[in-house]
Amino acid sequence: MAVFGRLQRLSMRRLLKLTGRLALVLLAVLVVAGVAFANLSPELGGKPTKAEQAAYARTGRYHDGEFQNLEPTEVMTGGSTFSVLWRFLFTKVPNAAPAAPLSTRPLDSLSITRKTPNLVRVTWFGHSASLVEIGGKNILFDPMLSVKMGPLAWVTPKRYNPSLAITAGQLPAIDAVLISHDHYDHLDYQTILQLKDKVAHFYVPLGVGAHLRAWGVEASRVQEMNWQDSVQLPGLTIVSTPARHFSGRGLTNRNSTSWSSWVLKTPAHRVFYSGDGGYGQHFRAIGQQHGPFDLALLECGQYDANWAQIHMLPEQSVQAALDVRARAMLPVHWGAFTEAHHAWNEPVRRATAAAALHQLPIATPELGQPIVLGQPLPQQRWWQ
């Protein structure tokens, strides 16, 4: 009996060891399959040509195949990518996502077609996607208007709402789409497919044009811009300004494209959009060169202590608004996806409190609720 028991235990150990090995092999196969699928997916986008890369090198911002920030910047400032991912996946945060879809005001596309040169109206769709009507033009910032994100939607965060205030297909003609960088939550393949035939111009950071061309956008409608480059449309100036971030849509193209913040100017009004990025000296420089701004759309959300140089805390977002000399602030980069280890509405709660301390007007519209300059800012606390 003792011999039989030892044999049983030995067989069990072998079975457990074999099961463990099979599990590791299966996990490896799934990872390889996922990576292969993502790399073969058209969502990955395109690659800049060697001639384009040579031109980027002449800007002084592109070294060894990667774009650089104005000041030294690390993607991870503490811990490791694995530890942050583990904490995000397996450590619960109270109120990480709203209990129900967020309040949304449907947007009437006919109202957008009635262009008024003196009107400045900003409509936020959640996360960073925003429509700015200014100078008689329709300008779209980072139009991520899909419910699912990226080529592997089963592993990426899900949008809180099953639908948006308006779909990409319902939008009228757009004068310009401005992209801040090529991450999936800002440059969305499916949205571009629906928008591309109704957009007059795409203005993008260096390198991002390769993605759009790969998705069927004519090269003649895509203009890559370096920091401080500007374009003049009738009644509107668009300026690419610095940001402090990083880029990449795959495992092997980190920082192969650039990133940007954006300035919109008319003779009477100015609007600033930060894109993504950490706090830095560039905000004060932008304020001195291009401010003051009637409204600043500032990244505010999806932050972590380990991302201190590539994303801002809400208090830093308020300080950035003060640095660019904004008369009012609209916090964006929240209200759509949970991408960091904090409550879904913590960004707006902290930003609102910090703005009050500095007596900075702050807009907190519902999704799809327009902000019209010259009218009272929407400030209801619907997110509480």
Side-chain angles (χ1 to χ4, degrees):
M1 292 295 293
V3 172
F4 179 73
R6 285 198 296 272
L7 289 173
Q8 253 190 338
R9 289 194 294 273
L10 181 61
S11 297
M12 183 60 68
R13 285 198 297 270
R14 288 176 175 172
L15 179 61
L16 290 173
K17 185 180 292 185
L18 178 60
T19 302
R21 288 176 177 173
L22 288 174
L24 288 175
V25 170
L26 179 61
L27 179 61
V29 169
L30 288 174
V31 170
V32 171
V35 170
F37 174 79
N39 284 332
L40 293 173
S41 169
E43 296 219 18
L44 190 67
K47 296 180 180 179
T49 66
K50 290 185 177 180
E52 288 172 327
Q53 292 174 354
Y56 303 154
R58 292 193 289 272
T59 67
R61 297 183 45 228
Y62 184 80
H63 306 286
D64 299 324
E66 294 191 7
F67 283 93
Q68 311 293 319
N69 283 289
L70 289 175
E71 50 192 298
T73 300
E74 297 291 337
V75 172
M76 297 295 296
T77 53
S80 65
T81 301
F82 177 80
S83 65
V84 171
L85 181 61
W86 182 271
R87 180 164 57 92
F88 179 75
L89 292 176
F90 299 108
T91 304
K92 297 292 185 181
V93 173
N95 206 26
L102 302 182
S103 178
T104 302
R105 299 195 183 187
L107 184 62
D108 179 10
S109 61
L110 291 178
S111 67
I112 307 170
T113 62
R114 294 190 289 268
K115 298 181 180 180
T116 306
N118 295 325
L119 173 75
V120 178
R121 181 167 52 191
V122 179
T123 307
W124 173 60
F125 302 117
H127 207 59
S128 294
S130 305
L131 171 68
V132 180
E133 298 167 75
I134 183 172
K137 303 289 187 294
N138 292 331
I139 309 297
L140 265 177
F141 286 134
D142 286 352
M144 199 301 178
L145 300 178
S146 294
V147 174
K148 297 180 180 180
M149 182 196 306
L152 299 173
W154 51 278
V155 298
T156 52
K158 295 181 180 179
R159 187 180 283 272
Y160 302 148
N161 287 19
S163 60
L164 287 84
I166 195 169
T167 68
Q170 292 170 333
L171 284 168
I174 300 298
D175 295 285
V177 165
L178 275 58
I179 303 297
S180 65
H181 63 295
D182 71 358
H183 287 159
Y184 290 102
D185 55 337
H186 294 259
L187 178 59
D188 178 56
Y189 168 68
Q190 296 295 340
T191 301
I192 296 299
L193 290 187
Q194 295 181 62
L195 279 178
K196 63 181 183 179
D197 294 330
K198 63 177 68 178
V199 176
H201 301 284
F202 290 85
Y203 299 110
V204 301
L206 299 177
V208 175
H211 299 318
L212 299 178
R213 295 194 301 269
W215 298 338
V217 181
E218 296 91 340
S220 61
R221 291 192 288 128
V222 179
Q223 182 169 340
E224 295 187 354
M225 297 173 64
N226 193 14
W227 294 341
Q228 308 307 337
D229 286 350
S230 64
V231 295
Q232 184 72 51
L233 302 181
L236 178 67
T237 301
I238 299 173
V239 187
S240 169
T241 46
R244 188 184 187 192
H245 202 47
F246 71 110
S247 68
R249 293 176 73 85
L251 299 178
T252 60
N253 63 351
R254 171 71 63 85
N255 295 340
S256 61
T257 64
S258 187
W259 44 92
S260 180
S261 58
W262 295 97
V263 169
L264 303 179
K265 297 181 183 180
T266 72
H269 296 102
R270 299 186 180 202
V271 173
F272 174 70
Y273 170 49
S274 68
D276 276 9
Y279 182 76
Q281 302 173 1
H282 58 287
F283 289 117
R284 187 173 296 275
I286 291 169
Q288 291 173 345
Q289 184 175 2
H290 300 289
F293 293 95
D294 299 282
L295 182 69
L297 289 71
L298 269 299
E299 180 218 59
C300 181
Q302 321 319 315
Y303 46 79
D304 190 282
N306 294 304
W307 306 333
Q309 295 179 357
I310 58 169
H311 285 292
M312 292 186 285
L313 299 176
E315 294 78 14
Q316 292 176 311
S317 299
V318 171
Q319 184 58 54
L322 298 172
D323 288 353
V324 301
R325 300 193 291 155
R327 298 189 178 102
M329 169 186 173
L330 170 62
V332 300
H333 209 243
W334 71 283
F337 305 100
T338 295
E339 297 181 295
H341 208 62
H342 57 67
W344 76 271
N345 59 357
E346 181 185 290
V348 68
R349 288 192 282 110
R350 290 175 58 173
T352 301
L357 288 175
H358 292 281
Q359 298 183 324
L360 173 69
I362 185 170
T364 55
E366 296 177 353
L367 305 182
Q369 180 182 7
I371 299 169
V372 180
L373 293 189
Q375 297 182 8
L377 296 175
Q379 295 181 319
Q380 63 269 38
R381 297 183 175 233
W382 58 268
W383 33 267
Q384 288 185 332

